Amino acid sequence: MNVKRKLAVLALTLTITMTALPFFAAYANRQTVMVTVNDLPIIFADQGPIIDTNRVLVPVRGVFEEMGFYVTWDPNTRIARLTSEDTTIIIPADARVFVANNQIITPDVPQQMVNNRLLLPLRAISEVVGWTATWDSNSRAARIAHADTHFATAVSPPATEPSQAQQSSDKITIPNRQLTHEEIDAWLTNYHAQGGSNYFELAVLYLVNAERENAGLQRLSINSTLMIASRFKAQSMSDIGYFSHENPVYGHFTNIARQLFNYPITSMGENIARGQITPQEVVADWMDSPSHRLNILHPSFTEIGAGFYNGHWAQKFG
């Protein structure tokens, strides 16, 4: 693996307590189909994709917004309108057809309303906008890509995502000294003000759980404290300028979670990386490394956090 993608790992025997966020626990149980657009996984906030009559149906808003469409929904007429520079799509929830640039399209499986969310057959996406839509039944993954991308593993993420991911918490720099309690509180306040977990971090968690499911292992619950500690670790590597499990200020990698953010577990595991462009790339690199793969597929781990900041990645397992 080239120097730009240095990786490090430490896996330890552990005792376990679970403090999962209810939202993510529910999400993990519901999200049984993975959907990617230009190789970036879609994190559905509530209703995820479904399979009906051997056809994959995906939420219109989550998928088409990632494809660059502006999506509106009229609850009175129950009609979704999707617009881009050269395409207008009108999807009535209560019909078996929809209209794309004045052309009537009849999908083999009609659109459906599920839990107040409009879902459209995956195949219809390629018919409507000329993108490529494929389904991998082994990994239960639906992949949607622009005709020119060919599902590259290191694609440029959407313009809003790097800005959000790279700038989160950047108003408070982590210095090469121990923070005061007031500075830690200020960092936490800023972390939450920035929206907490960013898209890249959630995508890493989803991909890790997909790897565990493929290996027949239990999904990892997302722990809010480990999320915070992972972001702090990623930012500290960027701000202080080091790449190691051993923090030059706080020492052993467990100390950030334990001492700064009161994580109760006495034994933990950690993966770190830097230089990868996308969540897919960093998880693939970790899985290609036996020691990192051991952490991701460790049967004793039950919870996880992930952090991304300015090209630096961190995972903490508990």
Side-chain angles (χ1 to χ4, degrees):
M1 191 170 299
N2 71 39
V3 174
K4 186 178 179 182
R5 299 182 184 175
K6 294 178 182 176
L7 299 171
V9 68
L10 181 57
L12 301 173
T13 305
L14 70 159
T15 56
I16 299 166
T17 61
M18 296 184 65
T19 54
L21 291 173
F23 169 83
F24 288 109
Y27 173 83
N29 291 332
R30 180 177 59 252
Q31 184 74 14
T32 58
V33 174
M34 179 179 178
V35 178
T36 64
V37 174
N38 280 345
D39 253 7
L40 289 176
I42 305 301
I43 308 298
F44 298 99
D46 39 40
Q47 176 61 48
I50 65 171
I51 298 178
D52 182 26
T53 319
N54 292 322
R55 292 289 184 268
V56 178
L57 284 82
V58 297
V60 167
R61 182 176 296 277
V63 171
F64 275 91
E65 284 184 339
E66 199 63 36
M67 295 166 66
F69 282 81
Y70 178 69
V71 180
T72 61
W73 167 254
D74 187 333
N76 296 317
T77 60
R78 290 168 57 86
I79 291 177
R81 179 180 293 269
L82 292 62
T83 55
S84 66
E85 291 183 358
D86 55 2
T87 304
T88 299
I89 306 170
I90 299 173
I91 309 176
D94 303 315
R96 295 186 61 87
V97 300
F98 59 92
V99 179
N101 287 349
N102 298 320
Q103 177 185 1
I104 296 177
I105 296 176
T106 305
D108 51 358
V109 174
Q111 57 268 31
Q112 298 181 24
M113 290 295 293
V114 180
N115 293 328
N116 294 318
R117 293 292 181 266
L118 181 61
L119 276 64
L120 188 69
L122 177 66
R123 180 177 294 179
I125 292 175
S126 58
E127 295 175 352
V128 170
V129 294
W131 287 40
T132 302
T134 60
W135 167 248
D136 185 340
S137 59
N138 293 323
S139 61
R140 295 176 64 83
R143 296 183 172 88
I144 305 165
H146 192 276
D148 296 331
T149 62
H150 304 293
F151 302 115
T153 56
V155 299
S156 298
T160 56
E161 297 305 338
S163 175
Q164 174 193 4
Q166 291 174 9
Q167 294 180 12
S168 295
S169 302
D170 64 355
K171 294 181 180 179
I172 300 179
T173 301
I174 297 174
N176 194 7
R177 60 167 174 79
Q178 290 202 9
L179 276 69
T180 65
H181 290 299
E182 291 76 16
E183 288 173 325
I184 293 171
D185 289 343
W187 186 92
L188 281 169
T189 298
N190 188 61
Y191 170 85
H192 292 297
Q194 295 281 338
S197 305
N198 62 52
Y199 174 86
F200 276 17
E201 292 162 353
L202 295 176
V204 165
L205 300 175
Y206 185 89
L207 293 168
V208 164
N209 272 333
E211 295 289 353
R212 288 180 66 88
E213 279 199 331
N214 289 339
L217 297 170
Q218 180 183 359
R219 285 172 171 263
L220 298 174
S221 298
I222 298 158
N223 181 278
S224 58
T225 302
L226 291 181
M227 294 296 290
I228 291 168
S230 296
R231 170 75 69 78
F232 189 94
K233 175 60 178 283
Q235 185 180 344
S236 72
M237 288 192 295
S238 175
D239 288 355
I240 298 175
Y242 74 99
F243 185 75
S244 171
H245 290 296
E246 194 80 7
N247 184 293
V249 176
Y250 296 101
H252 193 265
F253 81 88
T254 59
N255 292 343
I256 288 176
R258 292 183 197 161
Q259 295 178 6
L260 298 188
F261 304 114
N262 299 314
Y263 187 68
I265 301 301
T266 57
S267 296
M268 298 166 55
E270 179 179 82
N271 285 348
I272 58 175
R274 65 180 176 187
Q276 290 81 1
I277 304 300
T278 66
Q280 291 87 344
E281 189 178 359
V282 72
V283 172
D285 281 352
W286 278 330
M287 288 298 293
D288 284 342
S289 166
S291 54
H292 298 83
R293 181 186 179 94
L294 177 64
N295 261 354
I296 290 174
L297 301 183
H298 199 298
S300 296
F301 290 139
T302 60
E303 50 191 27
I304 186 175
F308 172 80
Y309 187 87
N310 196 26
H312 293 73
W313 307 80
Q315 289 180 314
K316 290 186 179 292
F317 302 87

